[in-house]
Amino acid sequence: VGTVVGLLSGYVGGAVDSLLMRLTDLVISLPLLPLLIVLAAVDLGKMGLTLAPELSGIVRIVALVALFNWTTTARIVRSSALSLRTREFVRAAEALGAGTWWVLIRHILPNAVGPLIVATTLSVGNVILLESVLSFLGLGVQPPTPSWGNMLTGAQELLFEAPRLALWPGLMIFATVLACNLLGDGLQVALDPRARIR
């Protein structure tokens, strides 16, 4: 979602850019965690959507992340598209009669993939934390499907008798988020041509 919004906003510009960026600003201005808690608590069965119980929590988390976690990617891709649309190879493709989608997919997107990969790896940590919080509160993935948030919920009653039940899921969340952030930092350095020159 963020990639499509960013590409269209950065390349087309004008009223499309203003509209898409105001939509992005609107989503950014929403208080994310309280909104996700309210939306995660909505009963899908009352809305006529019936899913298998073991899938409903996973589908809900994926839908909430897709609806509200695209704004950073949209802004990063937009800035890349803004700088790339004035480059010579894009102007040459336009002069040869290439359409908007052809230019976006064949010329802008491949050159914006570096910042996009970095943004994706950095957002993985946010998604893991979000899922853990919602599962800890009982609004995310439901047992018996395993989740680190579910493990922490079950461990809070036995915190003094068996602290390792809370220690290991917490350490795994910490290590995974740290690893994703370090991977994003490493990819940012590896994909930045100016960093290789230095």
Side-chain angles (χ1 to χ4, degrees):
V1 173
T3 302
V4 172
V5 169
L7 284 174
L8 287 174
S9 178
Y11 180 70
V12 176
V16 173
D17 182 28
S18 297
L19 177 69
L20 292 175
M21 284 301 103
R22 294 310 70 79
L23 174 67
T24 304
D25 292 340
L26 176 70
V27 174
I28 288 173
S29 69
L30 296 172
L32 186 60
L33 189 58
L35 180 66
L36 291 179
I37 289 172
V38 169
L39 291 176
V42 171
D43 187 9
L44 297 177
K46 291 182 180 177
M47 297 176 63
L49 301 171
T50 55
L51 293 169
E54 61 273 3
L55 287 179
S56 65
I58 296 170
V59 169
R60 185 178 309 183
I61 293 290
V62 169
L64 290 175
V65 167
L67 282 174
F68 298 105
N69 205 22
W70 55 268
T71 55
T72 303
T73 303
R75 289 189 169 272
I76 290 171
V77 172
R78 176 185 178 264
S79 66
S80 294
L82 280 172
S83 68
L84 289 169
R85 75 178 184 180
T86 58
R87 303 280 294 272
E88 292 81 10
F89 60 91
V90 173
R91 294 292 184 204
E94 291 170 345
L96 290 171
T100 301
W101 288 106
W102 180 265
V103 172
L104 284 174
I105 292 171
R106 295 285 295 180
H107 298 289
I108 303 278
L109 183 59
N111 288 292
V113 79
L116 182 60
I117 289 173
V118 173
T120 302
T121 56
L122 292 176
S123 69
V124 168
N126 292 334
V127 171
I128 290 171
L129 288 174
L130 178 71
E131 185 278 326
S132 298
V133 167
L134 290 176
S135 294
F136 178 77
L137 295 173
L139 301 170
V141 178
Q142 298 299 316
T145 305
S147 164
W148 287 326
N150 286 340
M151 292 178 190
L152 288 173
T153 300
Q156 70 181 354
E157 298 170 2
L158 302 168
L159 194 57
F160 295 107
E161 291 84 10
R164 69 184 181 283
L165 295 177
L167 178 69
W168 290 114
L171 283 176
M172 292 309 298
I173 292 170
F174 173 75
T176 306
V177 171
L178 180 66
C180 290
N181 287 340
L182 290 175
L183 176 66
D185 290 343
L187 285 172
Q188 184 174 15
V189 171
L191 295 173
D192 185 10
R194 290 173 297 219
R196 280 180 285 190
I197 293 170
R198 282 186 240 136

